[in-house]
Amino acid sequence: MKKDSIHRLLLKMFSTVILICSLYSCTDDFTEYNTDKTKMMAVGPKELAGLFSRTQYEGINWLTTDNMSRMSSTVALHLCGYTACGIYNQEALIMNYGWHNTGFNRIYTSAIPPLNSILDVSRNGVNDAAYNVALIWKVWLMHRVTDIWGPVPYTAAGNGQEEIPYESQKDVYYKMFDDLTNATNTLKSELQKNPSLNVFGVGDLIYNGDVSKWLKFANTLRLRLAIRISNIDPVKAQKEAEAAVANPLMEVNNDDALMAMNQLSSGGNGMPRMESFYQDIMSASMESLMKGYNDPRIDEYWSPVAYNSVIDAAGYPEVLKAQVGGYHGMANGFEQIQVNYFKSYSKYGPRFKDGKQLVTPVNIINSAETWFLKAEGAWRGWNMGGTAQSFYEKGIEISIKQWKGATFSSSTIASYINSTALPVAPEDYPYYHPAMTNIPVKFSGNKEEQYEQILTQKWLALFPISFEAWAEYRRTRLPKIYPKKFSANALVNPSLGQIITRLPYTTDEKNTQPAQIARATEMLGGLDLETTPLWWDKNSN
Amino acid sequence: MEKKSVIQAFRGRNKLDGVLLKMNLFAVFVFAGTLVVSAINYSGGTRTEPNSKSAEMDQPNRREISGTVRDSKNQPLPGVALIVKGTTIGTTTDSEGRFRLSVPVNAQTLYFTFVGMKSQEIPIAGNTVFNVTMEETTFGVDEVVVTALGIERSKKSLTYATQQVNVEILSSVRDVSLGNALAGKVAGVSITASTGTSGVSGDPRIIIRGDRSINGNNQPLIVVDGIPYSSSGGGLSSINPDDVQSMNVLKGPAASALYGSSANNGVIVITTKKGKSGEARVEVNSVTTFDLPYLYPDLQNTYAQGLNGIFLPNTDVYSWGPKMTGQTVVDWTGKETKLEPQPDNVRDFFRTGHNLTNSFSYSAGTEKSTTYFSYSNTTAQGVLADNKMQRHNFNLRLTAELIKNLNLDFKTTWFRQLVKDKPTTGDDLFSPMHQLIRMPRSLRIADVSDYSYYTAAGEYKQRVWIPNSTNVINPYWSMYGYENPSTSNNVNALLTVKYNFTGWLSLQLRGGMTAGNSDSEIKRYWDTQYVNSGKGGYETGFSKSQILNGDALLVFDKDITKDFHVNFNAGAEIRDSRGRSINSATGELSAENKFALNYGVTLTTTDAESRIQKQSVYGMAQLGFRNYLFLDATARNDWSSTLPAPYDYFYPSIGLTAVVSDMVTLPKVLSYVKLRGSYAEVGNDAGFAQIFQTYSRASNGPAGMVYPAGTKVPVNLIPEKTKSWEAGGQIHFLDNRLGIDFTYYKSNTYNQLITITSPPTSGFGSGRINCGNIENRGIEFMIFAIPVKRQDFNWNIDFNFAMNDNKVIELSKTLNKYQISSPNLSIGETWAIVGKPFGEIFTKGFVRNDAGQVIVDALGMPKVDSKANLYLGNFNYDWRSGITNTMQYKNWYLSFLIDLNWGGVRQSATEAMMMACGTSTESLEGRETGIVFDGVQEIVDTQGNKTYTPNTVNISAQAYAQLVGGRISFGAGEPYNRKADNSRLRELSFGYSIPLKSNIIKSLRISAIGRNLFYIYNGCKWFDPDVTYDVDRNGQGAESAFLPGSRTLGFNIRMTL
């Protein structure tokens, strides 16, 4: 090879290298390189449905699957008196902070972030329907949180800052009212323009995107919140309640907010999952009422006691063996020795049997509740557009139809409504309580009895929405469920009427923002304990 | 026999596939290599003539020359290479330093080279007899070291500490990883081997001058031939030690600043061999070593399986049964048998491991072109019967001067590794040691080794003393019922073109490529409860990676005036790395032991992809004055795709060196004095895709579910920065027979990107923030001495010592302590706490009163704290040292390394577990009599005053052991903390060079070698404090079901043809 050609080769090599260098010597593509192809970099209109499914599902996840036992079965279900809990520690009121921590985190870290994404994508008139339906869902999520812990972050929830300010429960309530007011006003005018307005479509696991249903949901929720603060802030309560009833409400079972599980591939309704574990057992209070009233819903809520081999064990009480085949409730607050006795009491009804996880929808708000809320408003003398009795009776009718079907015998319903039968003494070995209370279903002439009737029937109608039933029990101490027989928690003496009124702040929050927890405790107005009453709870404890 | 056939059938298939694949790849490789060689020969114009010897034979005009080569003390020098310049004609001197050579009549110059001597050119000028005296290079002074970017510099001019590693010992006293062989040799470098090392597994954890990063990488960058090295089959372990020409450890940022951001943990610079001009040379190196397990935890041989003194043949992990006195019982197999001690039932489980390495290299060249080729093959088996490894390394290196002043350097390597059943250690169901240390002491190993059977229905099952347990499996089943084969391939190519414009200006262009892939499988056989809900479990994964590297370097090197010398380098680099991995797993198979994804009941698949590109420009200038004063400055600017725009960060360094002994006249006793100081900053980028908030979609529900990532990305990420300075010097005494090299350094690492727990109300479980300041200060020194230096006896001593003082100065605004990722299921927690060194370990301790007495409860049981509040110590040593003695007497050679490390603690989860199970000798105490724990009872009176009375309540040994033993979740860690102080004979090599008068074999040396031969002292008794459960975790110091301590013995044959 000649020298010339070598030089030419060299020149070529150099220019190639320089070319390659100049091609690469630029950072234009860096953002693309640094992009994880397995992830989405942004969300837009077409992700709204998926985001909404996620916030909905994660929002009820503590009532389902893995957290069922943590937050629902072991907290609200037995604290509100629906069930006895099959775990001694929980039934004996020993706090399981780890579980509460997980439940609290689930809302803030799993349900709130996709919700905030919807708000971010749709705010400022970009998509009013999406924005406001999401806002309504936020109020639903957060009202449960504040009703469990008290002062919590509402405005700043999920904003990603290093410190998230807690707000007093009163502030949280006022902000929820504001959000519901704005949302209902906007949706109302949107619906006037387009009565069949739909948002999120099948991504909305509750109403399939029907905005008119969400408007009703928001008004019933607003009414629920108004009633909740009726003892502590009656003026605001009345104003909000009257505004709510001037708008469409969830009145018939077609409006029921039920989250569909039948299109999920995993997870689903947690009640059937827990059913097989014998952790949720019909309570003695339930037995006293439902048996006494001859309640037609009993076979929907509960099952007859099934045979279980533990009863064959030596020394198993004969009286409990005899319960097989009947409906039986267990006393709350049992001692450790009785754990196995569980197996001779009633478990959930047929739709909550194990295996129905992806069949039975999750109850979010039952329409019957609207009528009991209106009944209480009317009972308080607020303008609810009718009498307390008419609302009370309508509520019972709607509730029975919810479980027994729209075609259920109206005469049976009427005879239930007009029944003067009283609750009975449950056969709750070994305590054998007397009847839980002495009020019939038939609406009383006595104002005080009316109140107890409204709350007692609402309690039956709220089933299985335990967190709402627990909140209302704390506000009203009604129905007069049996106090726990035993408490291993030094702060709670059930015989003095003491109950768990909230959950203490979680360890993760205490570790990551102690200053805010100190502020929150100050706003709570008492120690950060499970026995400190919340703002709207005026009962002594 | 039949029962094992299922497993064997699968193994057979894999073996065949492996062989076929190997053959294919080898063919491709050879073909590619041939192409490259011919291409170079063609385009280069000057043909490489590695075998030009035959041409020389035909030369008619030759003449004989001869001579003797001696050193400055007039002693003959054997083994000196000499060559006729410009040809391949050459030879080496014999044992008397004599040589004889036939040269062409027109030959001009002879060129003499020898290690440790200055090379010499001697004109032939018609002479026939040559008496040559070679001058020694001053020990460690005129040495040339390879520094950043492959720049060779005289060690004298360096402004920072580096340490060369003796590479010869690396290739003879071999370890599975080159990294392990660094232990004890380099001041300031800590080597912690991976638990699977007995035989056959990965790279150690290497830390230089202390931990800097809280939850990032703390290990150094490995640079091979100027390019950052990465291999899918491991880092240093994928390099053939025989190919290593030199290995240099750059310890501080000043040394590594030019390598850029990846180098803030120090750099290990490896230069590999090139062919040598002169006669073709073939080297064969064969190393055979055996791993002999000999250190076991203390097992009791008195009490049988059972609980509360009663023999229970089906109890899972307890040896709290009756005393073994030969009484007859019905055991778990249903046989009537005598209860007798089984002292060897753990020992018999292990076998002798071995490691056979054969390597071959060929080197040849003319003055214009060289060729180097090597192949190395390693076959190893571990101390566990199913554990094997095979490794192949190919290396081809070609250099050529294409035309005058234009040099080309090409290298390609191929590494392939097959590992069969890497041992599982730790508290894992499939960890054999975890099963063994809990195995009831009365079990006969022969009953257990028959580990499987077929049921009448033809189902393949494990035989175990407690069937269907979720806690225990047969130890043999933990090996054979769990297979995790893996294969990795790595191809590396490097092409360098260098043009010398003049003697003082050159331009170098370099391109490098690394491509690797690996695949792995996990097969869990059916009838392993808990982990398999179906008929076995299966997992397989594949990953590939590719790194492209290109750089250009302009070098200016010139004496500006008589006194001033300037060396200036300017360069630019681009590095692009990509990776992809796919992993699919099923916990359940639909057909018994059908290990394929098709049989997966539900598959979980992960797919990860990454790409990082970094672009850099850098410069280095050195100003030298009279060859005794040097001022260095470097600057580098990086642009990394992992950072937010504008992507870049800058960092400088500056240093000064003075060779005092050349500047002023010093007393004669001081032969060399050098002082140096430097300051450097190194920046660091983030990991892949850490700055964008992303979303994922799950397929649940009619519209799917979309959700944001649960980790908050940093708002304004800034690059991490390490600022450091160091000062040191080198002083040699007594005619360079004694010397010390010392360094003091201090470095602070700021703006680390760490992941912290966020308030859940923020919507994020965790967040990444920039924060922190971790300080490392320390001293290092190396001393060498040459006590004897005679014609036939030489004795060298090298001692190194390092002490690092680590301190967490600051974490973040809201954090003053941070839990470091700890080894899986250890009995301690590891923390970074402000004001304390990195890696403080805490565990659950006994509850004590103010006087320090342990409080016992009413039943006589000591109270154990519910949280890990008891401080145990730090996992780092206070100081480390090592001493190597090398002696040479005539043809005999002896070298040994003893290291001594002091301070630091380890926690033994194994001992805690054995206590709870009653298998340790510790658990024997009080079995017959009960235990009165040495503590006090607390009495609180009505006023709340506390008084203490000595405990007198007797408790059962079993109850006590089960309280304190076990893991942290249910035991007390306090009794299982061990001091890590240790000293051992780390390395030994004893060899003999056989004098040969052969024309074929030029040299032959046989050595006996050993590693980890014995402990002079070991605070951890039976386990190696320098072994870790997980090399990648920043939390260290935990022992958990490690394989028994073993020693390595073997021999080495090294031959040159």
Side-chain angles (χ1 to χ4, degrees), chain B residues 528-551:
Chain B
T528 310
Q529 297 298 309
Y530 183 61
V531 290
N532 294 338
S533 46
K535 298 176 173 177
Y538 183 61
E539 189 175 330
T540 185
F542 176 82
S543 74
K544 60 176 185 176
S545 63
Q546 176 195 289
I547 301 171
L548 295 176
N549 218 92
D551 69 83

Side-chain angles (χ1 to χ4, degrees), chain B residues 443-464:
Chain B
L443 289 193
R444 285 166 213 272
I445 197 76
D447 291 341
V448 182
S449 62
D450 189 11
Y451 63 91
S452 63
Y453 66 100
Y454 282 92
T455 63
E459 293 166 324
Y460 185 63
K461 294 255 190 188
Q462 65 158 315
R463 195 187 303 275
V464 61

Side-chain angles (χ1 to χ4, degrees), chain B residues 943-977:
Chain B
Q943 321 294 248
N945 298 319
K946 291 171 179 169
T947 50
Y948 299 93
T949 56
N951 173 45
T952 53
V953 186
N954 193 302
I955 51 176
S956 86
Q958 179 185 326
Y960 171 72
Q962 291 180 349
L963 173 81
V964 302
R967 289 198 310 266
I968 193 163
S969 53
F970 41 85
E974 181 176 349
Y976 305 101
N977 192 41

